[in-house]
Amino acid sequence: MKLPKDKIAIVERHNKVVFDCGDSVIKVFNGNKPAADILNEALNLARADQAGIDVPELLEVGRTGANWAIATKKVEGKTLRQLINEDPDVERMADFVELELHIHAHKNALLNRQKDKYTRMINSLGDDVINEATRYELLMRLDGMPNHNKVCHGDFVPSNIIVREDGSMCVCDWAHATQGNGGADCATTYLHLMLGGETEIAEKYLRTYCERQGCSMAYIQSWMSIVAAAELARGRVVEQDYLLSMVDVVDYY
């Protein structure tokens, strides 16, 4: 895969750089990113598209130099995060939650199963992070959670939503997608907002989601320890103390 000379870096993270290449967007991963992860992200994107969700069109998966890359067709618009920052007084929470519920209304039986993924991630945590008793309690709680097969994005945050001029919204970055329980997806979004220091927005999001979905906040909170443990498995060193405080086996019911 060849990167154009006039490319513009629009997002930089510790493991990737996203370039605006005119008609396309190319996400270039560092050399330490396993090929299986990149191919799985591209496959998730294709399966979300297959399910009927508005996502960027997948163009190519390949290498640029020594690094793997994913190319998608560019979606014109601004991210929801940009719009919130530009005009924080505009109410956007209802649309944000409705979009997530719209995603949850879709299914694709070929996506990885959420419970299987969380089980692997919790089991990957060593005793230096959580002890064996806590790990066992987390796995028992996970096993007892309701089994659903909804499409779950896994990283549903404003920066991953592109709003076009006509108001329609496209959802990108499907690296963590699974089929499973929408409550877990909600808990993950809440946790990511909290980790970003957006406490007020996180609490408003949680209330709105529960109202629109018709579930209790206690039900979403019962997922918190599980998704916090999953985030620990991603090696979030900076946020480790906060995540450990969330890994609590208290019964919320």
Side-chain angles (χ1 to χ4, degrees):
M1 187 183 302
K2 189 174 182 180
L3 293 173
K5 292 182 180 179
D6 58 349
K7 64 185 182 297
I8 301 172
I10 53 176
V11 176
E12 295 189 44
R13 299 285 187 268
H14 72 282
N15 63 350
K16 66 188 176 187
V17 180
V18 181
F19 295 100
D20 182 337
C21 300
D23 292 335
S24 66
V25 172
I26 300 178
K27 184 186 296 186
V28 181
F29 301 87
N30 68 26
N32 296 324
K33 188 76 170 176
D37 289 355
I38 286 88
L39 295 172
N40 184 67
E41 178 174 344
L43 190 56
N44 286 345
L45 175 60
R47 286 173 172 167
D49 179 52
Q50 184 183 46
I53 299 168
D54 190 342
V55 300
E57 180 184 346
L58 178 63
L59 299 177
E60 185 180 355
V61 182
R63 284 184 177 275
T64 174
N67 300 332
W68 281 94
I70 297 175
T72 56
K73 187 174 181 179
K74 183 178 177 180
V75 178
E76 296 291 347
K78 294 183 178 181
T79 67
L80 186 58
R81 166 54 57 210
Q82 288 174 306
L83 294 175
I84 291 172
N85 290 345
E86 289 174 3
D87 196 347
D89 293 330
V90 175
E91 176 55 54
R92 302 184 187 276
M93 187 57 69
D95 291 340
F96 180 63
V97 169
E98 286 300 325
L99 179 59
E100 184 172 25
L101 293 175
H102 172 72
I103 293 172
H104 293 169
H106 292 76
K107 296 180 181 180
N108 189 309
L110 297 176
L111 284 168
N112 291 329
R113 294 189 179 278
Q114 187 183 68
K115 280 192 174 183
D116 292 344
K117 182 175 183 177
Y118 284 155
T119 297
R120 290 193 299 271
M121 296 178 83
I122 292 170
N123 277 326
S124 74
L125 294 170
D127 291 340
D128 58 326
V129 180
I130 60 173
N131 59 45
E132 184 177 353
T134 300
R135 189 161 49 247
Y136 174 81
E137 292 294 338
L138 287 168
L139 292 171
M140 289 300 98
R141 168 171 290 183
L142 175 60
D143 185 62
M145 299 302 282
N147 292 312
H148 295 167
N149 58 352
K150 301 175 181 179
V151 172
C152 294
H153 184 272
D155 191 15
F156 190 77
V157 292
S159 58
N160 284 333
I161 299 168
I162 302 171
V163 183
R164 302 182 181 90
E165 283 193 12
D166 64 3
S168 63
M169 293 183 282
C170 180
V171 185
C172 59
D173 199 350
W174 287 83
H176 307 298
T178 58
Q179 56 170 317
N181 194 303
D185 217 21
C186 172
T188 301
T189 295
Y190 173 83
L191 184 59
H192 285 178
L193 291 171
M194 292 293 287
L195 289 172
E198 299 182 291
T199 303
E200 185 177 342
I201 292 177
E203 297 297 344
K204 184 175 183 180
Y205 160 75
L206 182 57
R207 289 194 303 271
T208 305
Y209 181 93
C210 291
E211 289 170 2
R212 298 297 178 102
Q213 176 60 22
C215 65
S216 69
M217 293 179 68
Y219 175 66
I220 303 301
Q221 288 167 340
S222 67
W223 278 101
M224 293 298 180
S225 59
I226 295 167
V227 299
E231 291 299 317
L232 281 170
R234 301 188 198 283
R236 289 182 175 270
V237 178
V238 175
E239 300 97 344
Q240 182 165 310
D241 288 344
Y242 177 79
L243 290 171
L244 284 171
S245 73
M246 299 289 286
V247 179
D248 188 344
V249 295
V250 171
D251 192 346
Y252 289 97
Y253 292 109

